[in-house]
Amino acid sequence: MKNLAMDLPGLNLKNPIMPASGCFGFGREYSEFYDLGELGAVIMKAATGSERFGNNTPRVAETSSGMLNAIGLQNPGVEKIIETEVPFLESFNVPIIANVAGSTVEEYIAVAETFNQTDKVNALELNISCPNVKEGGIQFGTDPDMAANVTRLVKQVSNLPVYVKLSPNVSDIVAMAKAVEVAGADGLSMINTLSGMQIHLPSKRPLLANKTGGLSGAAIKPVAIRMIYEVKQQVSIPIIGMGGITSAEDVLEFLLAGASAVAVGTANFHNPFICPELIEALPEVLYKYGFSSVEAAIGKGVPSYG
Amino acid sequence: MKNLAMDLPGLNLKNPIMPASGCFGFGREYSEFYDLGELGAVIMKAATGSERFGNNTPRVAETSSGMLNAIGLQNPGVEKIIETEVPFLESFNVPIIANVAGSTVEEYIAVAETFNQTDKVNALELNISCPNVKEGGIQFGTDPDMAANVTRLVKQVSNLPVYVKLSPNVSDIVAMAKAVEVAGADGLSMINTLSGMQIHLPSKRPLLANKTGGLSGAAIKPVAIRMIYEVKQQVSIPIIGMGGITSAEDVLEFLLAGASAVAVGTANFHNPFICPELIEALPEVLYKYGFSSVEAAIGKGVPSYG
Amino acid sequence: MMRKEKLHILSSKQVALDTVEMVLENTYISKTAVPGQFLHVSVEGHSLRRPISIADIDMENETITILFKIIGSGTKQLATYQRGMKIDVLGPSGNGFNLEIRADSTILLIGGGIGVPPLYYLGKTLAKNHIKLISILGYQTAQHVFYEQRFQEIGETHIVTNDGTHGKKGLVTDVLDTFDFDRYYACGPVPMLQAITAKLEHQPGFISLEERMGCGVGACFACVIPTDTPDGYKKICKDGPVFNAQEVSL
Amino acid sequence: MMRKEKLHILSSKQVALDTVEMVLENTYISKTAVPGQFLHVSVEGHSLRRPISIADIDMENETITILFKIIGSGTKQLATYQRGMKIDVLGPSGNGFNLEIRADSTILLIGGGIGVPPLYYLGKTLAKNHIKLISILGYQTAQHVFYEQRFQEIGETHIVTNDGTHGKKGLVTDVLDTFDFDRYYACGPVPMLQAITAKLEHQPGFISLEERMGCGVGACFACVIPTDTPDGYKKICKDGPVFNAQEVSL
Ligand SMILES: Cc1cc2nc3c(=O)[nH]c(=O)nc-3n(C[C@H](O)[C@H](O)[C@H](O)COP(=O)(O)OP(=O)(O)OC[C@H]3O[C@@H](n4cnc5c(N)ncnc54)[C@H](O)[C@@H]3O)c2cc1C
Ligand SMILES: Cc1cc2nc3c(=O)[nH]c(=O)nc-3n(C[C@H](O)[C@H](O)[C@H](O)COP(=O)(O)OP(=O)(O)OC[C@H]3O[C@@H](n4cnc5c(N)ncnc54)[C@H](O)[C@@H]3O)c2cc1C
Ligand SMILES: Cc1cc2nc3c(=O)[nH]c(=O)nc-3n(C[C@H](O)[C@H](O)[C@H](O)COP(=O)(O)O)c2cc1C
Ligand SMILES: Cc1cc2nc3c(=O)[nH]c(=O)nc-3n(C[C@H](O)[C@H](O)[C@H](O)COP(=O)(O)O)c2cc1C
Ligand code: FES
Ligand code: FES
């Protein structure tokens, strides 16, 4: 069998496959389908400083080869997550990544600090790119200076490695990536969802109560690949890639573009077994295209790496 | 029958359906399938100052619910287009929109001026957003000041109405739209393609010779709808909407989001009859959702208009 | 517990205007599902599954019946699937109807349009336990009516249609007052459920709700509904689709 | 002239490893297509059509035969289509082989792998006109060989395989020198065509080319190839897929 293992800051991954934030809750539901210990890691749903109820419904819409969502960061708040959700995930032998969100820089810092105080999660994913929060989240995600600032402040309060999750809704993804690298990010997660909308013809209004939502799924894969490929040439911190993965071939495509591991979001909804199935299928795909390990494939599609 | 007619600056459209630039050549090929006089208008393939051979092949790749292209503005140059292509299109009773491209501001001006000197086209579409040209096209499309500047200068040399074609690869589409409106644009075309990439697993390299390409097709429709909806609330010039249209329901969705007419690109490749079929299907869809004309539906999904 | 199963299509036929009845074969789901649960059905070329209620189960023959209305592209495609094909389903999903009922009770079943199906398997199950049933079923027109005969076989049944082409003309709420009952179960469009819960505010009742779903398993928080519970919300896909009428805010 | 037509599938069967032969029924295309033209085939769930060469035509029975190799998701799906179904096709597309040949000529047909199919209809047509044919067909292994018998029926036929499991071991270019001929027609992978056109530089010949296509009708400029012509390029979908070997730069 091919070597699927991969070491990233704070994460000893037995394979490069993890569920993406927000698409897997805190793991409970999918743990009824399979042993979460099979996963490379688990990225938890976004945590905010206090409980959030999120947006009104409808919160999801189907699109061609994708979907829109505007959940609005519904979550019980960081304290409750640490109290009731993290212990459950700890019962599996799997690294835990906490997705950190907020409306203000202070909220990001507070959430990161709270996770840091427990020794129960392995890394933070700084969600500066959620397009569904109005009060500021979107700003951090499109302005390099603000993104760098929040990254720097979070790094100051936390010993945990920080993966900054980038928004694709920007003119210059490389500028964003460089800014957060300089600010101390240990890695990048990319991409979050593209801002989109669907209009419901019978009501003549945006279908989502929040009007806009984040586009995910196979539809956005070419955008994710392009951004990772561009960023890989300009930054040296590792990238967790995501956006439309549905097959082991897709996983390899992300690795070649420069990702060191991948996250799978929307595909869980259609097939709850997608993550273990990808883990099982990956060795053969690596072999078919001439790679002896995950590590050997990383960045091999990128000129300066390949 | 519902009233499909719509008047826009320089364009008396008998219906709101036109083929999108670059997906219809100069009309010759599709004229073998149907009478081009049935169309609302024809948008020609991009014209540059002199002949261009475009990028190396492969130039297209298929993606989930879409495709990538990196044609690279291949065209015989504005003079030859006026000499050999426009006369053919003139033989049909259909408004002609010339798509203007270039690598420098001077080239845009020269192409626009040349079209202006003939009285054979009805409007210009200023393609400041082609992601496949390296020398500058992409810059105009993501910087509001540069976009405004090229718009202003083109307006100075041309009496033809100018529709500025916006790129979706920006953090703030509204800023782009406002900038070109202030600079004198008569209308907007949106959206052009999203920058994307596909990696070819057997060769471990980007499939397109140009590496990146423009993502089009149904996959990008939610992004187009979102951007048109946002722009419609902030600008008052009309919008020609495009991006993933494949059905008459899609056409209505674009109208509700704020488009006054639509262009159909990628769908022509799968179904050469798509434009006449949409024209035929549209009245019934308008009727089904309670509209007596195209005009009645425009912007009806947008709060400040509906 | 929910599983991912392949279900053989034994038959698919139109039973009313734009309404298809499909009989599916599966051991696990037929053995474990309870009335009010649903299947989350995969339809080719669609990124999200479609929730469809279980309308009937034949435990002996291990079949599950669903009834669905052709609404959009997913149900349109599902309607093309023929006998012999297989569909990929998550199920049984959600929590079903509360079946703890005193033996001498009278139960009112109130269904609107494509909300009728889950009430049939509920009614059949209650009838087996000799519970007295009164069913009020509302449809748009005579062309939309289905399963009238089947409901009559399990109890007193009243049909209303919006245009009066079959049964009484009007809405289900127009005839509610006529009946004495101990508890009601309702499924149908939200306006109907709002009218019913308002009108029957002081009667015990359970309603089955719909919402657009992402995961269908409780992981994505797409389908929440505000409740009076400590959490402040429940998930329709997991905690529902059936709720105590008093508990949720429509 | 190209049309959009629905073609009935009369049969679909595997004729070699990952290689499917499909017989299609259509009046218009069977009456108008010439050797070397292709069909632009719609495959459900795919935004672009697939170009597939016409491998044979039976004008009397109005059938068109295509042969395709399962490469990716489109051909994989096409391979699942069964007798009785219809496929949506643009065709006949492109320009075919030059058929103006002196009666006493000897023609060399050189096919590589899935480049063999268009040469069969060409050969059959030439054989009908009593032109002498020599066919050199190259395949990866014995398992990949198809249509050997059919080519033998229309002329002298030599098979080569990469691994020598059938016919001679080697590449088609290894055996080219052995034959005298007046003109050649070749179709196959680009490296093979490059080798052939280099080797037969001073012989008149025609080659059929492949490129990824958008429209398939000449409108999108996806499939251009540099040429010595005044325009500097030609479109494979419209001006080709067959070109004079001297005219194009591979
Ligand atoms: C718990 C539950 C049980 C249901 N039981 C039945 C049943 O037994 N029979 C039946 O005909 N219908 C039932 N529905 C409604 C059914 O799910 C929708 O009609 C169906 O999903 C429409 O899919 P479509 O592709 O045809 O429509 P589209 O409008 O094209 O669907 C687009 C998206 O919206 C979702 N959607 C659209 N309408 C609804 C809706 N009313 N509820 C939830 N999601 C929706 C679809 O699932 C899909 O994700 C049920 C819904 C729920 C939540
Ligand atoms: C003029 C012409 C005639 C052809 N005739 C035949 C034939 O008779 N039999 C046969 O088996 N194949 C033929 N091919 C090649 C055939 O078109 C491809 O094998 C097929 O498109 C692959 O589709 P896919 O979905 O299986 O592969 P994928 O790799 O999934 O396809 C992805 C995209 O790339 C395109 N593509 C991939 N490979 C090729 C290729 N070699 N040429 C052009 N486009 C490609 C597909 O059309 C699609 O748009 C011909 C190609 C051309 C241009
Ligand atoms: C329903 C849903 C909820 C999501 N919630 C979050 C979230 O809370 N935090 C976050 O960083 N990303 C969130 N995302 C984005 C995903 O983690 C992922 O970046 C994106 O969906 C692209 O991957 P995919 O195409 O595989 O889904 C969410 C996506 C979906 C579909
Ligand atoms: C093959 C191809 C070539 C294109 N060439 C041009 C062009 O020359 N000028 C331009 O403004 N847009 C060009 N476009 C963009 C389209 O006009 C259109 O904006 C885009 O494809 C979105 O619409 P669609 O999803 O309907 O294709 C091209 C698109 C494709 C697919
Ligand atoms: S649909 Fe995902 S939580 Fe209910
Ligand atoms: S494929 Fe469009 S020009 Fe050839």
Side-chain angles (χ1 to χ4, degrees):
Chain A
M1 208 181 91
K2 299 292 138 186
N3 187 2
L4 299 185
M6 182 67 217
D7 278 354
L8 294 183
L11 304 169
N12 298 323
L13 307 175
K14 52 182 153 312
N15 64 64
I17 313 285
M18 45 188 115
S21 181
C23 301
F24 206 72
F26 300 97
R28 279 184 202 280
E29 295 77 16
Y30 290 97
S31 76
E32 296 186 15
F33 290 104
Y34 59 88
D35 174 5
L36 302 187
E38 294 178 30
L39 296 167
V42 169
I43 311 182
M44 294 193 291
K45 186 169 170 41
T48 52
S50 45
E51 183 178 27
R52 288 218 197 187
F53 290 101
N55 295 318
N56 286 339
T57 56
R59 292 177 171 187
V60 291
E62 190 179 67
T63 70
S64 291
S65 295
M67 66 177 286
L68 292 166
N69 89 81
I71 307 296
L73 296 183
Q74 177 160 20
N75 80 97
V78 59
E79 307 275 4
K80 189 126 181 242
I81 289 171
I82 290 170
E83 199 181 303
T84 64
E85 304 295 346
V86 173
F88 174 77
L89 279 174
E90 276 191 295
S91 69
F92 301 93
N93 172 25
V94 66
I96 304 172
I97 303 174
N99 186 273
V100 173
S103 311
T104 60
V105 176
E106 292 69 32
E107 187 174 2
Y108 278 96
I109 297 173
V111 174
E113 221 169 356
T114 312
F115 277 120
N116 186 54
Q117 277 155 18
T118 77
D119 54 352
K120 294 175 192 312
V121 305
N122 301 71
L124 301 179
E125 181 178 56
L126 210 59
N127 177 9
I128 60 166
S129 49
C130 180
N132 300 326
V133 185
K134 282 286 137 58
E135 304 96 317
I138 187 70
Q139 305 281 13
F140 302 131
T142 57
D143 182 296
D145 294 336
M146 287 180 74
N149 186 48
V150 69
T151 305
R152 193 174 299 113
L153 293 170
V154 163
K155 280 295 289 180
Q156 279 171 14
V157 299
S158 160
N159 303 316
L160 293 167
V162 173
Y163 293 79
V164 179
K165 184 156 179 182
L166 301 182
S167 164
N169 302 298
V170 297
S171 313
D172 187 351
I173 192 72
V174 172
M176 295 298 304
K178 281 181 163 171
V180 302
E181 180 180 43
V182 168
D186 300 280
L188 300 170
S189 268
M190 53 194 293
I191 58 176
N192 211 316
T193 54
L194 279 165
S195 176
M197 178 184 283
Q198 185 171 107
I199 294 184
H200 185 235
L201 300 187
S203 68
K204 302 174 184 63
R205 282 288 172 263
L207 191 148
L208 300 178
N210 186 54
K211 291 183 183 131
T212 62
L215 182 64
S216 61
I220 69 168
K221 197 185 71 173
V223 176
I225 294 290
R226 188 264 298 178
M227 290 188 163
I228 292 169
Y229 180 93
E230 286 178 355
V231 165
K232 183 70 180 173
Q233 294 172 70
Q234 304 281 333
V235 308
S236 48
I237 49 177
I239 300 167
I240 301 174
M242 64 203 72
I245 292 174
T246 65
S247 69
E249 283 78 8
D250 290 343
V251 174
L252 178 56
E253 192 180 354
F254 274 80
L255 296 175
L256 293 174
S260 297
V262 299
V264 181
T266 306
N268 289 286
F269 302 165
H270 195 264
N271 178 8
F273 294 100
I274 184 75
C275 288
E277 286 177 9
L278 293 178
I279 294 164
E280 206 194 313
L282 188 57
E284 198 174 322
V285 169
L286 287 172
Y287 174 78
K288 177 171 173 194
Y289 293 103
F291 295 105
S292 57
S293 67
V294 163
E295 193 130 22
I298 297 168
K300 280 298 182 300
V302 183
S304 44
Y305 282 76
Chain B
M1 210 183 89
K2 300 289 135 187
N3 188 1
L4 299 185
M6 181 67 217
D7 278 354
L8 294 183
L11 305 169
N12 297 322
L13 307 176
K14 50 183 156 313
N15 64 65
I17 314 284
M18 44 188 116
S21 181
C23 302
F24 206 73
F26 301 97
R28 279 183 203 280
E29 294 78 16
Y30 290 96
S31 76
E32 295 185 17
F33 290 103
Y34 60 87
D35 176 5
L36 302 187
E38 293 177 29
L39 296 167
V42 169
I43 310 182
M44 294 192 293
K45 185 169 171 40
T48 52
S50 45
E51 183 178 25
R52 288 217 196 188
F53 291 103
N55 296 317
N56 286 340
T57 56
R59 293 179 171 185
V60 292
E62 191 180 64
T63 69
S64 292
S65 296
M67 64 176 285
L68 292 166
N69 89 80
I71 306 297
L73 296 182
Q74 177 160 22
N75 80 98
V78 58
E79 307 275 4
K80 189 123 181 248
I81 289 171
I82 290 170
E83 199 180 303
T84 64
E85 304 297 344
V86 173
F88 174 76
L89 279 174
E90 275 192 296
S91 69
F92 300 92
N93 172 26
V94 66
I96 304 173
I97 303 174
N99 185 274
V100 174
S103 313
T104 60
V105 176
E106 291 70 32
E107 188 175 1
Y108 278 96
I109 297 172
V111 174
E113 221 169 356
T114 313
F115 277 120
N116 187 55
Q117 277 154 18
T118 76
D119 55 352
K120 295 178 192 309
V121 307
N122 302 70
L124 301 180
E125 181 178 56
L126 210 59
N127 176 9
I128 59 167
S129 49
C130 181
N132 301 325
V133 186
K134 283 284 139 58
E135 303 97 318
I138 187 70
Q139 305 280 14
F140 302 133
T142 56
D143 182 297
D145 294 335
M146 287 180 72
N149 185 48
V150 68
T151 305
R152 193 175 300 112
L153 293 170
V154 163
K155 280 295 289 179
Q156 279 171 13
V157 299
S158 160
N159 302 314
L160 292 166
V162 172
Y163 293 79
V164 179
K165 185 157 181 181
L166 300 182
S167 165
N169 303 298
V170 297
S171 313
D172 186 350
I173 192 73
V174 172
M176 294 299 302
K178 281 180 163 172
V180 301
E181 179 180 44
V182 169
D186 300 279
L188 300 169
S189 269
M190 54 194 292
I191 59 173
N192 211 317
T193 54
L194 279 165
S195 177
M197 179 184 282
Q198 186 171 106
I199 294 185
H200 185 235
L201 300 188
S203 68
K204 303 173 184 61
R205 283 285 172 267
L207 192 148
L208 300 178
N210 185 53
K211 293 184 181 129
T212 61
L215 182 63
S216 62
I220 70 168
K221 197 185 70 172
V223 176
I225 294 290
R226 188 265 297 179
M227 290 190 163
I228 292 169
Y229 180 94
E230 285 178 356
V231 166
K232 183 69 179 174
Q233 295 173 70
Q234 304 282 334
V235 308
S236 49
I237 50 177
I239 300 168
I240 301 174
M242 65 204 72
I245 292 173
T246 65
S247 69
E249 282 78 8
D250 290 343
V251 174
L252 178 56
E253 193 180 352
F254 274 81
L255 296 175
L256 293 175
S260 298
V262 299
V264 181
T266 306
N268 289 286
F269 302 165
H270 196 265
N271 178 8
F273 294 99
I274 184 75
C275 287
E277 286 177 9
L278 293 178
I279 294 164
E280 206 193 314
L282 189 56
E284 199 174 322
V285 170
L286 287 172
Y287 174 77
K288 178 171 172 195
Y289 293 102
F291 296 105
S292 58
S293 67
V294 162
E295 192 129 23
I298 297 168
K300 279 300 182 297
V302 182
S304 45
Y305 282 77
Chain C
M1 218 185 76
M2 189 192 311
R3 283 206 201 156
K4 184 164 178 286
E5 294 277 312
K6 298 260 183 210
L7 278 58
H8 236 104
I9 301 178
L10 293 184
S11 72
S12 172
K13 66 162 190 266
Q14 198 180 327
V15 293
L17 186 68
D18 288 340
T19 309
V20 176
E21 179 198 67
M22 214 176 236
V23 182
L24 306 160
E25 189 177 42
N26 183 269
T27 304
Y28 179 73
I29 294 175
S30 66
K31 296 285 184 238
T32 55
V34 298
Q37 287 189 303
F38 66 95
L39 304 180
H40 214 192
V41 181
S42 159
V43 191
E44 222 193 294
H46 290 79
S47 24
L48 297 177
R49 290 171 176 265
R50 268 48 181 176
I52 306 284
S53 298
I54 293 170
D56 195 11
I57 282 185
D58 178 338
M59 288 199 197
E60 203 174 312
N61 293 307
E62 302 188 341
T63 67
I64 304 107
T65 301
I66 58 174
L67 281 151
F68 60 90
K69 186 151 178 200
I70 300 173
I71 297 282
S73 70
T75 47
K76 194 170 167 184
Q77 179 156 346
L78 195 57
T80 67
Y81 292 0
Q82 295 301 319
R83 180 189 162 82
M85 294 171 71
K86 282 181 178 179
I87 57 174
D88 175 313
V89 148
L90 298 182
S93 301
N95 271 314
F97 292 105
N98 182 329
L99 298 177
E100 288 164 27
I101 297 174
R102 278 217 331 277
D104 58 351
S105 308
T106 298
I107 296 297
L108 194 62
L109 304 178
I110 318 169
I114 202 63
V116 168
L119 298 179
Y120 179 65
Y121 186 42
L122 170 66
K124 223 179 77 169
T125 307
L126 296 180
K128 241 186 232 150
N129 300 339
H130 310 293
I131 306 279
K132 185 171 171 226
L133 300 173
I134 306 173
S135 303
I136 310 177
L137 310 176
Y139 300 90
Q140 280 174 268
T141 72
Q143 287 196 291
H144 293 83
V145 177
F146 58 88
Y147 271 35
E148 177 179 11
Q149 174 70 27
R150 298 209 187 194
F151 274 90
Q152 273 167 352
E153 285 163 13
I154 56 173
E156 182 183 333
T157 299
H158 303 267
I159 306 286
V160 297
T161 52
N162 295 358
D163 64 354
T165 44
H166 192 71
K168 254 185 104 129
K169 178 174 166 143
L171 304 172
V172 292
T173 37
D174 297 337
V175 297
L176 283 187
D177 304 324
T178 343
F179 307 102
D180 274 340
F181 60 91
D182 297 293
R183 188 195 278 179
Y184 71 90
Y185 291 90
C187 185
V190 171
M192 177 188 112
L193 296 178
Q194 284 169 329
I196 292 172
T197 51
K199 208 157 183 175
L200 304 179
E201 200 181 349
H202 304 295
Q203 306 264 37
F206 292 87
I207 56 175
S208 179
L209 298 178
E210 292 187 357
E211 186 50 80
R212 288 176 190 251
M213 294 185 178
C215 65
V217 304
C220 77
F221 290 75
C223 66
V224 299
I225 178 154
T227 59
D228 303 339
T229 54
D231 279 346
Y233 69 91
K234 288 207 167 181
K235 296 171 191 159
I236 289 179
C237 70
K238 197 173 184 189
D239 307 315
V242 178
F243 294 94
N244 190 317
Q246 259 88 49
E247 168 190 36
V248 291
S249 340
L250 287 182
Chain D
M1 220 184 76
M2 189 192 311
R3 283 205 200 154
K4 184 164 178 286
E5 294 276 313
K6 298 261 184 210
L7 276 59
H8 236 104
I9 302 177
L10 293 183
S11 73
S12 173
K13 66 163 189 264
Q14 198 182 325
V15 293
L17 186 67
D18 288 338
T19 310
V20 176
E21 179 198 67
M22 215 178 235
V23 182
L24 306 160
E25 188 178 44
N26 182 270
T27 302
Y28 178 72
I29 294 175
S30 66
K31 297 285 185 237
T32 54
V34 298
Q37 288 189 302
F38 67 95
L39 305 180
H40 214 192
V41 181
S42 160
V43 190
E44 223 192 295
H46 290 79
S47 25
L48 298 177
R49 290 171 176 266
R50 272 33 183 186
I52 306 284
S53 298
I54 292 170
D56 195 11
I57 282 184
D58 178 338
M59 287 198 197
E60 204 174 312
N61 293 308
E62 303 189 342
T63 67
I64 303 109
T65 301
I66 58 174
L67 281 150
F68 60 90
K69 185 149 181 201
I70 300 173
I71 298 281
S73 70
T75 47
K76 193 170 169 185
Q77 179 154 347
L78 195 57
T80 67
Y81 291 0
Q82 295 301 320
R83 178 189 164 81
M85 293 171 72
K86 281 181 178 181
I87 57 173
D88 175 315
V89 148
L90 297 182
S93 299
N95 271 315
F97 293 106
N98 182 328
L99 299 176
E100 289 166 27
I101 297 175
R102 277 213 333 273
D104 58 351
S105 308
T106 298
I107 297 296
L108 195 62
L109 305 179
I110 317 169
I114 202 63
V116 169
L119 298 179
Y120 179 66
Y121 187 42
L122 171 67
K124 222 179 78 167
T125 308
L126 295 180
K128 239 185 234 153
N129 300 339
H130 310 292
I131 307 278
K132 184 169 173 228
L133 299 174
I134 304 172
S135 303
I136 308 177
L137 311 178
Y139 302 89
Q140 280 174 267
T141 74
Q143 287 195 291
H144 293 84
V145 177
F146 59 88
Y147 271 34
E148 177 178 12
Q149 173 70 27
R150 297 211 188 194
F151 274 90
Q152 275 167 352
E153 284 163 14
I154 57 172
E156 183 183 332
T157 300
H158 304 267
I159 307 285
V160 297
T161 52
N162 296 358
D163 65 352
T165 43
H166 193 72
K168 254 185 105 126
K169 178 174 167 141
L171 304 172
V172 292
T173 38
D174 298 338
V175 297
L176 283 186
D177 304 323
T178 343
F179 307 102
D180 274 339
F181 59 92
D182 297 294
R183 188 194 279 179
Y184 72 90
Y185 291 90
C187 185
V190 170
M192 177 189 114
L193 296 178
Q194 283 169 330
I196 291 172
T197 51
K199 206 155 185 179
L200 305 180
E201 199 182 351
H202 304 293
Q203 305 265 37
F206 292 87
I207 56 177
S208 180
L209 299 177
E210 291 187 359
E211 187 49 80
R212 287 174 191 252
M213 294 186 179
C215 65
V217 305
C220 77
F221 291 75
C223 67
V224 298
I225 179 156
T227 59
D228 303 339
T229 54
D231 278 345
Y233 70 91
K234 288 208 166 180
K235 297 171 192 158
I236 289 179
C237 69
K238 197 174 181 184
D239 307 315
V242 178
F243 294 95
N244 191 315
Q246 260 86 50
E247 167 190 38
V248 292
S249 339
L250 287 180

